[in-house]
Amino acid sequence: MVNRGIRGQGGRSGGRPTLEEVAARAGVGRGTVSRVVNGSPRVSDETRAAVEAAVDELGYVPNRAARALAANRTDAVALVVPEVESRFFAEPYFSDIVRGVGAALDSTEMQLLLTIVGSDRERGRLAHYLAGHRVDGVLLVSVRADDPLPEQLVRLGIPTVISGRRSEQEALPCVDADNVTGAQSAVAHLISRGRRTIATITGRLEVYGAQCRLDGYRQALAAAGLGVDERLIAPADFTEEGGRRAMTDLLERSPDLDAVFVASDVMAAGARQVLREQGRSVPGDVALVGFDDSPIARHMDPPLTSVRVPIEEMGREMTRVLLEEIADRRPDGTRSITAPRQSVFPTELVTRASS
């Protein structure tokens, strides 16, 4: 009888355990083990637990360098934010997205590359970098409708997921919030409090989400039988200073306004400063509602009523969709699933003292 040695934690005598041995121990196929090891979400919890137990028992360690080379993979994804750094660090939305993405990648071996591109020069460098296929996929946040980057990524064959649709006919996989319904609920709330001269401060209207929030404002007024006065609509840019400028303009044009729906909490903070400087009490003279329900809303004086957007959950979902896109990509760059995965998250009005 040949003594083949004792199978210890390393699986084979004198060698590292293989993917096939893990599959045999878990009672699944080799492909299933590969999906679990690579962090694919397309595995049931029961199967994932069985594979992870087998990995622990055998002490299996993936040869990631060899696997990545064979599969033409980098084991890295990029989170690209086409904004200036000042807005990235000032806007809680972005930190929530990063937390969600990081949480979703935590159980995988993927590395996250955070890239802020706020100038044409930075965009050029990014395009050159991505053309070298140095990442397996891209998460795009805060994309304008006319931004050429998504189409560049499509031409390069890089799996891409967008946070926030660029239009109603978005062709790429995306994760978005129900901006129209959120805005409707905010304005309907103000109407229910007896407000009738309701203004709005919009975000940049080249951003589809800002258009949707403006649409929701208009629809809520129409549903209540109130006309839309264009003088009560002030565009801004999602910054605190933009909110200040817009609020100043609104008070000059319509000094009798009694409520303002603001398309972001950051802009609402700027609007609140102007109202205070001009002697308008909140909510006595002017009721105020924001959007996002960021920490800013809770720390304002008075605390800000705001439409909650589950931003961190959206970051996790974006990442899950991207991992599926990467897993579905064939070696020739084509996809096994042709319809883009698109998710729209519900919003919720959180009522506080400002309204």
Coordinates of all heavy atoms in Angstrom, one line a residue, residues 106-146:
D106 N -15.9 45.2 0.8 CA -15.2 44.7 2.0 C -15.0 43.2 1.9 O -14.0 42.6 2.4 CB -15.9 45.1 3.3 CG -15.1 44.8 4.5 OD1 -13.9 45.2 4.5 OD2 -15.6 44.1 5.4
S107 N -16.0 42.5 1.4 CA -16.0 41.0 1.4 C -15.3 40.5 0.1 O -15.4 39.3 -0.1 CB -17.4 40.4 1.5 OG -18.2 40.9 0.4
T108 N -14.8 41.3 -0.7 CA -14.1 40.9 -1.9 C -12.6 41.2 -1.9 O -12.2 41.8 -0.9 CB -14.7 41.6 -3.2 OG1 -14.2 42.9 -3.2 CG2 -16.2 41.6 -3.1
E109 N -11.9 40.8 -2.9 CA -10.5 41.1 -3.0 C -10.2 42.3 -3.9 O -9.1 42.7 -4.2 CB -9.7 39.9 -3.5 CG -9.7 38.7 -2.6 CD -9.0 39.0 -1.3 OE1 -8.1 39.8 -1.3 OE2 -9.5 38.4 -0.3
M110 N -11.3 43.0 -4.3 CA -11.2 44.2 -5.2 C -10.6 45.4 -4.4 O -11.0 45.6 -3.3 CB -12.6 44.6 -5.7 CG -13.1 43.6 -6.8 SD -12.2 43.9 -8.3 CE -13.3 42.9 -9.4
Q111 N -9.7 46.1 -5.1 CA -9.2 47.3 -4.6 C -10.0 48.5 -5.2 O -10.5 48.4 -6.3 CB -7.7 47.5 -5.0 CG -6.8 46.4 -4.4 CD -6.8 46.5 -2.9 OE1 -6.6 47.5 -2.3 NE2 -6.9 45.3 -2.3
L112 N -10.2 49.6 -4.4 CA -10.9 50.7 -4.8 C -10.0 51.9 -5.1 O -9.2 52.3 -4.3 CB -11.9 51.1 -3.8 CG -12.8 52.4 -4.1 CD1 -13.6 52.1 -5.3 CD2 -13.6 52.8 -2.9
L113 N -10.1 52.4 -6.3 CA -9.4 53.6 -6.7 C -10.3 54.8 -6.8 O -11.3 54.8 -7.6 CB -8.8 53.4 -8.1 CG -8.1 54.6 -8.8 CD1 -6.8 55.0 -8.0 CD2 -7.7 54.3 -10.2
L114 N -10.2 55.8 -5.9 CA -11.0 56.9 -5.9 C -10.4 58.0 -6.7 O -9.2 58.4 -6.5 CB -11.2 57.5 -4.5 CG -12.0 58.8 -4.3 CD1 -13.4 58.7 -4.9 CD2 -12.0 59.2 -2.8
T115 N -11.1 58.5 -7.7 CA -10.6 59.5 -8.7 C -11.5 60.7 -8.8 O -12.7 60.6 -9.1 CB -10.3 58.9 -10.1 OG1 -9.6 57.8 -9.9 CG2 -9.7 59.9 -11.0
I116 N -11.0 61.9 -8.4 CA -11.8 63.1 -8.6 C -11.3 63.9 -9.8 O -10.1 64.2 -9.9 CB -11.7 64.0 -7.3 CG1 -12.1 63.2 -6.1 CG2 -12.5 65.3 -7.4 CD1 -11.7 63.9 -4.7
V117 N -12.2 64.1 -10.7 CA -11.7 64.8 -12.0 C -12.5 66.1 -12.1 O -13.7 66.1 -12.5 CB -11.9 63.9 -13.2 CG1 -10.8 62.8 -13.2 CG2 -13.3 63.2 -13.2
G118 N -11.9 67.2 -11.8 CA -12.6 68.5 -11.8 C -12.1 69.4 -12.9 O -12.6 70.6 -12.9
S119 N -11.2 69.0 -13.7 CA -10.8 69.8 -14.8 C -10.6 69.0 -16.1 O -10.5 67.8 -16.1 CB -9.4 70.5 -14.4 OG -8.4 69.5 -14.4
D120 N -10.5 69.7 -17.2 CA -10.3 69.0 -18.5 C -9.0 68.3 -18.5 O -8.9 67.2 -19.1 CB -10.3 70.0 -19.7 CG -11.7 70.6 -19.9 OD1 -12.7 69.9 -19.4 OD2 -11.8 71.7 -20.5
R121 N -8.0 68.8 -17.9 CA -6.7 68.2 -17.8 C -6.8 66.9 -17.0 O -6.2 65.8 -17.5 CB -5.6 69.1 -17.2 CG -4.2 68.6 -17.1 CD -3.2 69.7 -16.8 NE -1.9 69.2 -16.7 CZ -1.3 68.8 -15.5 NH1 -2.0 68.8 -14.4 NH2 -0.1 68.3 -15.5
E122 N -7.5 66.9 -15.9 CA -7.6 65.7 -15.1 C -8.5 64.6 -15.9 O -8.2 63.4 -15.8 CB -8.3 66.0 -13.8 CG -7.4 66.8 -12.8 CD -8.1 67.3 -11.6 OE1 -9.3 67.4 -11.7 OE2 -7.4 67.7 -10.6
R123 N -9.5 65.1 -16.6 CA -10.3 64.2 -17.4 C -9.4 63.5 -18.5 O -9.6 62.3 -18.8 CB -11.4 64.9 -18.1 CG -12.5 65.3 -17.1 CD -13.5 66.2 -17.8 NE -14.6 66.6 -16.8 CZ -15.7 65.9 -16.8 NH1 -15.9 64.9 -17.6 NH2 -16.7 66.2 -15.9
G124 N -8.5 64.3 -19.1 CA -7.6 63.7 -20.1 C -6.7 62.6 -19.5 O -6.5 61.6 -20.1
R125 N -6.2 62.9 -18.3 CA -5.3 61.9 -17.7 C -6.1 60.7 -17.3 O -5.6 59.5 -17.5 CB -4.7 62.5 -16.4 CG -3.6 63.5 -16.6 CD -2.6 63.6 -15.4 NE -3.4 63.8 -14.2 CZ -3.5 65.1 -13.7 NH1 -2.9 66.1 -14.3 NH2 -4.1 65.2 -12.6
L126 N -7.3 60.9 -16.8 CA -8.2 59.7 -16.5 C -8.5 58.9 -17.7 O -8.4 57.6 -17.7 CB -9.5 60.2 -15.8 CG -10.5 59.1 -15.5 CD1 -9.9 58.1 -14.5 CD2 -11.8 59.6 -15.1
A127 N -8.9 59.5 -18.8 CA -9.2 58.8 -20.0 C -8.0 58.0 -20.5 O -8.1 56.8 -20.9 CB -9.6 59.8 -21.1
H128 N -6.8 58.5 -20.4 CA -5.6 57.8 -20.8 C -5.3 56.6 -19.9 O -5.0 55.5 -20.4 CB -4.4 58.8 -20.8 CG -3.1 58.1 -21.2 ND1 -2.8 57.8 -22.5 CD2 -2.0 57.7 -20.4 CE1 -1.6 57.2 -22.5 NE2 -1.1 57.2 -21.3
Y129 N -5.5 56.8 -18.6 CA -5.3 55.8 -17.6 C -6.3 54.6 -17.9 O -5.9 53.4 -17.9 CB -5.5 56.3 -16.2 CG -5.3 55.3 -15.1 CD1 -4.0 55.0 -14.6 CD2 -6.4 54.7 -14.5 CE1 -3.8 54.1 -13.6 CE2 -6.2 53.8 -13.5 CZ -4.9 53.5 -13.1 OH -4.7 52.6 -12.1
L130 N -7.6 54.9 -18.0 CA -8.6 53.9 -18.2 C -8.4 53.2 -19.6 O -8.8 52.0 -19.7 CB -10.0 54.5 -18.1 CG -10.4 55.1 -16.8 CD1 -11.8 55.7 -16.8 CD2 -10.3 54.0 -15.7
A131 N -7.9 53.9 -20.6 CA -7.7 53.2 -21.9 C -6.7 52.1 -21.8 O -6.7 51.2 -22.6 CB -7.2 54.3 -22.9
G132 N -5.8 52.2 -20.7 CA -4.9 51.1 -20.5 C -5.5 49.9 -19.8 O -4.8 48.9 -19.4
H133 N -6.8 49.9 -19.6 CA -7.6 48.8 -18.9 C -6.9 48.5 -17.6 O -6.6 47.3 -17.3 CB -7.6 47.6 -19.8 CG -8.6 47.8 -21.0 ND1 -9.9 47.6 -20.9 CD2 -8.3 48.3 -22.2 CE1 -10.5 47.9 -22.1 NE2 -9.5 48.3 -22.9
R134 N -6.6 49.5 -16.8 CA -6.0 49.3 -15.5 C -7.0 49.0 -14.4 O -6.6 48.8 -13.2 CB -5.2 50.5 -15.1 CG -3.9 50.6 -16.0 CD -3.1 51.8 -15.5 NE -1.9 51.9 -16.3 CZ -1.7 52.7 -17.4 NH1 -2.7 53.4 -17.8 NH2 -0.5 52.7 -18.0
V135 N -8.3 49.0 -14.7 CA -9.3 48.7 -13.7 C -10.3 47.7 -14.4 O -10.5 47.7 -15.6 CB -10.1 49.9 -13.2 CG1 -9.1 50.8 -12.4 CG2 -10.8 50.7 -14.3
D136 N -11.0 46.9 -13.6 CA -12.0 46.0 -14.2 C -13.4 46.7 -14.4 O -14.2 46.1 -15.2 CB -12.2 44.8 -13.2 CG -11.0 44.0 -13.1 OD1 -10.2 43.9 -14.1 OD2 -10.7 43.4 -12.0
G137 N -13.6 47.8 -13.7 CA -14.9 48.4 -13.9 C -14.9 49.8 -13.3 O -14.0 50.2 -12.5
V138 N -15.9 50.6 -13.6 CA -15.9 52.0 -13.1 C -17.3 52.3 -12.5 O -18.4 52.0 -13.1 CB -15.7 53.0 -14.3 CG1 -15.9 54.4 -13.8 CG2 -14.2 52.8 -14.8
L139 N -17.3 53.0 -11.4 CA -18.5 53.5 -10.8 C -18.5 55.1 -11.0 O -17.5 55.7 -10.6 CB -18.5 53.3 -9.2 CG -18.5 51.8 -8.8 CD1 -18.1 51.6 -7.4 CD2 -19.9 51.2 -9.1
L140 N -19.5 55.6 -11.6 CA -19.5 57.0 -12.0 C -20.6 57.7 -11.1 O -21.7 57.3 -11.1 CB -19.9 57.2 -13.5 CG -18.8 57.2 -14.5 CD1 -19.3 57.3 -15.9 CD2 -17.8 58.4 -14.2
V141 N -20.2 58.8 -10.5 CA -21.0 59.5 -9.6 C -21.1 61.0 -10.0 O -20.1 61.6 -10.4 CB -20.5 59.5 -8.1 CG1 -21.4 60.3 -7.2 CG2 -20.4 58.0 -7.7
S142 N -22.3 61.6 -10.0 CA -22.5 63.0 -10.3 C -22.2 63.3 -11.7 O -21.4 64.2 -12.0 CB -21.7 63.8 -9.3 OG -22.0 65.2 -9.5
V143 N -22.8 62.6 -12.7 CA -22.5 62.7 -14.1 C -23.5 63.7 -14.7 O -24.7 63.5 -14.6 CB -22.5 61.4 -14.8 CG1 -22.1 61.5 -16.3 CG2 -21.6 60.4 -14.1
R144 N -23.0 64.6 -15.5 CA -23.9 65.5 -16.2 C -24.4 64.9 -17.5 O -23.7 64.0 -18.0 CB -23.2 66.8 -16.5 CG -22.7 67.5 -15.3 CD -22.0 68.9 -15.6 NE -21.4 69.5 -14.5 CZ -20.9 70.7 -14.4 NH1 -21.0 71.5 -15.5 NH2 -20.3 71.1 -13.4
A145 N -25.5 65.4 -18.0 CA -26.0 64.7 -19.2 C -25.1 64.8 -20.4 O -25.1 63.9 -21.3 CB -27.4 65.4 -19.6
D146 N -24.3 65.9 -20.5 CA -23.4 66.1 -21.7 C -22.0 65.6 -21.4 O -21.1 65.8 -22.2 CB -23.4 67.5 -22.0 CG -22.8 68.4 -20.9 OD1 -22.7 67.9 -19.8 OD2 -22.6 69.6 -21.2

